[in-house]
Amino acid sequence: MWLNLEVNVHSEGSGVEAFDSTTFDASLNWKDIEWLRSVTKLPVLVKGILKREDALKAIEAGVDGIVVSNHGDRQLDYSPATITILEEIVHIVGGRVSVLLDGGVGRGTDVFKALALGSQAVLESFSRIWTFGTHLSGCSMLI
């Protein structure tokens, strides 16, 4: 189970620790990629790669692509900015799988920077794209 909204607020640790321990499945591991590949013909991408060692593990596990992402860095103090580690990940991957960048894109020039550093695509949230689009079209009100 990926998400469990029943948080145990009476845990011995912090509220964040309690949320984390009930939200994420700690039994997930790199071998689960093999199972996932056995049940789908779709490409398998792994999101959240921030270290070269994890990029290598992902390749060894048989993924089709890597998404360099810090998940918006909203919950993780001191996570590196995705753009600062992109080039290292691209270099270690060496073209064996696709590398995409997610997060930290505030303007069009950020897309060009990511592509120049070797990302094959740049992902961004719909809300930010909606904001860009409404601004460019002259709309002054956002829903």
Side-chain angles (χ1 to χ4, degrees):
M1 173 178 282
W2 288 93
L3 182 60
N4 177 359
L5 296 178
E6 296 178 22
V7 177
N8 178 6
V9 295
H10 302 292
S11 77
E12 296 296 320
S14 71
V16 174
E17 181 182 7
F19 178 78
D20 184 57
S21 67
T22 59
T23 304
F24 301 105
D25 185 347
S27 70
L28 292 174
N29 63 63
W30 291 107
K31 292 184 187 247
D32 291 323
I33 302 291
E34 183 179 338
W35 168 82
L36 187 57
R37 291 194 68 78
S38 75
V39 297
T40 185
K41 293 184 189 266
L42 295 170
V44 175
L45 284 74
V46 175
K47 180 181 176 186
I49 301 296
L50 294 172
K51 296 179 180 176
R52 59 186 296 136
E53 295 83 9
D54 289 337
L56 292 172
K57 285 180 184 178
I59 293 169
E60 290 170 12
V63 301
D64 297 298
I66 290 171
V67 180
V68 176
S69 172
N70 61 13
H71 302 288
D73 201 16
R74 292 182 302 272
Q75 292 84 17
L76 306 171
D77 261 353
Y78 304 107
S79 291
T82 54
I83 198 76
T84 63
I85 56 168
L86 176 63
E87 188 174 19
E88 178 181 356
I89 299 296
V90 167
H91 178 72
I92 197 71
V93 165
R96 293 177 277 180
V97 299
S98 298
V99 177
L100 293 76
L101 178 85
D102 179 46
V105 178
R107 54 184 53 92
T109 54
D110 295 329
V111 173
F112 289 121
K113 291 173 191 175
L115 295 174
L117 291 171
S119 181
Q120 285 139 329
V122 179
L123 310 174
E124 190 48 60
S125 72
F126 177 77
S127 62
R128 189 167 292 189
I129 293 170
W130 174 260
T131 303
F132 287 158
T134 55
H135 175 71
L136 293 174
S137 68
C139 179
S140 61
M141 181 175 73
L142 296 176
I143 298 175

